[in-house]
Amino acid sequence: MDSVGIVIARRPPSESAFEFELEGDAAPGDFVEVPVEAGALVARVVRVRVENQYLAEAGVVRELRLGLRLPSAAALASAEVRVAKAEALGIVSGGSVLPPIQAPSPGSRVYRAAPETLRSLLGLAEGGVKLGRLWRHGLEVELDPERLFRHHAAVLGSTGSGKSYTCGVLAEEALERGLSVVVLDFHGEYSALGERYRTRVVRANQVKLEPGAVSPDAIADATEMTDVQRDLLYLAFDEAEGPTLGDVERAAGRVAERYGFKRETLLAVLRRLRMLRAQRVFTGEGEPLFLSVGEAVVVDLGLGMPGGVTRALAGAIAWWLFEGRRAGEQPPFLLIADEAHRLLPQGERAFSKTALRLVAREGRKFAASLVVASQRVVGLDKDVLSQCGTKIALRMDSPTDLAMLKPLLGKHARLLPRLPTGVALVAGVAVGYPVLVEVRRRRTSHGGSGSPLFAR
Ligand SMILES: Nc1ncnc2c1ncn2[C@@H]1O[C@H](COP(=O)(O)OP(=O)(O)O)[C@@H](O)[C@H]1O
Ligand SMILES: [Mg+2]
């Protein structure tokens, strides 16, 4: 094992933290281990300080500058010490993990944590989901697929930090395991999954979605109905003799008269339903979406339609898939909602939110998993975020978003603003402790780079 230093006693080591004189290479976030009686005490470097007793006093530095007093260059260099502070995480003993209950003895050697020790500490699974490598450690991070997928995950980070790329990696891992994957794709970034996996790209408006088989909320959202228009629509849904838009339109006429809705309300509702017909959405045309085992379905949401319509379509598709899963008509699946803030606006009514909340809350029971990716944390539905057992946080700049994530990610959240693209802080049920992971390279291309801005 690589020795990286020796425990010092200037501040007495305790069972929760200790300092060591650093002789090798270690940086904040790195894992180290120290042998203690009960096993290997694993700790994490939280800070490295460089000290030099000669240069501690401004007066001495000034004399040095003026050439008045000159310790030899060798003396100066040898007086430099680096002191690392480490926080104890646990004691690994024969494959099991105890809380850190013993302090390391001053004078003990500190080693870079061995792969086996880390695997035990972090609860990494042989043959698990290969997300990438532990940053600066090289250890392959394999996450238990049950814990990662069944408990849902959120991928968060600024634009360009690597969210969609990471979602692509998760999709690949799910497909490698024979899980069906559905991607709600606003930017046409996921069709390249077809380079290696059975993949269908479907346009959201070509999925057969009959009003009667969806929820009136989807229709009301798509057409931005007011409350009173919604009231009429709900009654018409109950009254409709069949599942089509035409059935709902006819029922609306009858219901409006029976309950005394104003004529302009009826006209407004009918006009909205006709608008759907003109846009050819929720008309019941197209192919119903049935997943097949181990296949990827990329739902193209880049339709150039009004945001409300696109959002309602995405919600209706998620809802259809989940209800199908619940009824045993769809295989277990992983639903990836990229740009999830568009579907999960905090404090705004949206059927897509109802649908994704349903998957988030009930999906565990029915093997319907959800991954949401978003550049916003504040502004993303708290319900869904809190149901995501694993948080995968990439580079993030917004102070308000960081403040919100801090309680979930611990003090390493402060590294987030400066993380390189593709490096993620992973925390939650899939890992024993928050870890930095260099997300692995894709097996298929990462699409959707768009047209170049400049000709050369
Ligand atoms: N893990 C990674 N390895 C290599 N390149 C990556 C990785 N993650 C992201 N990238 C690169 O960074 C760019 C931005 O990533 P992307 O996932 O599209 O960002 P976001 O979805 O967060 O806006 C991509 O073009 C991709 O090539
Ligand atoms: Mg993206």
Side-chain angles (χ1 to χ4, degrees), residues 159-160 162-165 187 189-190 338-339 373 375 446:
T159 304
K163 296 181 300 296
S164 301
Y165 195 99
H187 298 314
E189 287 177 297
Y190 291 89
D338 201 348
E339 304 284 324
Q375 70 234 37
H446 175 57

Side-chain angles (χ1 to χ4, degrees), residues 261-279:
F261 279 88
K262 286 197 188 130
R263 186 167 166 71
E264 63 241 41
T265 304
L266 173 64
L267 290 178
V269 166
L270 292 179
R271 196 175 62 237
R272 280 168 171 72
L273 294 179
R274 272 169 211 146
M275 195 175 84
L276 289 181
R277 208 196 283 282
Q279 287 172 330

Side-chain angles (χ1 to χ4, degrees), residues 65-142:
R65 177 163 55 79
L66 298 174
L68 296 178
R69 211 170 75 172
L70 287 174
S72 71
L76 261 184
S78 70
E80 178 169 310
V81 289
R82 289 180 303 146
V83 177
K85 182 180 179 198
E87 270 187 357
L89 301 175
I91 295 176
V92 173
S93 162
S96 60
V97 185
L98 312 170
I101 45 172
Q102 273 180 347
S105 301
S108 303
R109 279 214 165 270
V110 180
Y111 300 93
R112 185 165 267 281
E116 275 322 303
T117 316
L118 274 184
R119 253 197 283 274
S120 302
L121 181 86
L122 301 173
L124 303 185
E126 195 91 26
V129 171
K130 289 186 167 53
L131 187 61
R133 290 182 184 276
L134 212 53
W135 199 35
R136 289 176 45 84
H137 264 264
L139 175 70
E140 182 131 55
V141 176
E142 293 182 88

